[in-house]
Amino acid sequence: MVEPLQTAMHPEGGAEWNSDGGETLWDDGGTCRWAPADSVSDVGIPEDDAQWEMRESTVDEILGAHGFDPVGAAGRRAGAPAYGFDTSREDGARVQLYSAPGTTVIRVSGIPVDPGACNA
C-alpha cells in the first residue's frame, strides 16, 4: 500500500523515499497493533500546489481498497506546519499523508495484527 501512496503524493516522480524510525508493535487494550517505519521524502509539496485535489482522488482509491475511509480535502494539521490527509479505518488503523517544508511523510499506524506478535 505504501508504494502506490508514494506515487500518489509525488506523481511527477523524482522523489527518493526512505524509512524513518523502525516498526513498532504494541498492545492496545488486548488488540496487538503494528506500525511500519514512516516513509519520508525530502521533497516538500507546497500547500498551494494545484495537484492536491488529484492526490485526494488517487489516495482515496488506494486506501479504499484497504478499507479506509475517504481522506477528504487536504488540510493543515492542527498545531503543525504540515498540510495533507488523515484517515482511519473501523478497526482503528490510521494513515497520515502530509507535507511540511522540505519533507513529505507517509505514516501508517495501528494496524491490528496477530495477538501473538505482541507476545513474541
Side-chain angles (χ1 to χ4, degrees), residues 14-119:
E16 184 176 319
W17 293 88
N18 298 294
S19 294
D20 184 29
E23 69 177 336
T24 57
L25 287 167
W26 70 97
D27 186 302
D28 181 24
T31 300
C32 184
R33 296 192 181 273
W34 172 76
D38 288 350
S39 184
V40 179
S41 167
D42 62 359
V43 178
I45 306 167
E47 189 172 328
D48 63 355
D49 186 280
Q51 294 190 47
W52 280 108
E53 203 170 294
M54 182 273 311
R55 285 183 186 95
E56 175 188 349
S57 174
T58 305
V59 165
D60 277 345
E61 185 177 321
I62 295 164
L63 293 177
H66 295 278
F68 285 90
D69 294 334
V71 294
R76 181 164 298 283
R77 291 184 61 193
Y83 191 80
F85 307 111
D86 190 341
T87 189
S88 59
R89 206 165 58 181
E90 191 174 298
D91 63 7
R94 182 177 183 191
V95 176
Q96 298 169 289
L97 305 105
Y98 61 89
S99 191
T103 190
T104 300
V105 177
I106 299 172
R107 179 172 292 150
V108 179
S109 62
I111 305 291
V113 295
D114 183 303
C118 284
N119 299 325

Side-chain angles (χ1 to χ4, degrees), residues 9 22 82 116 120:
M9 292 301 283

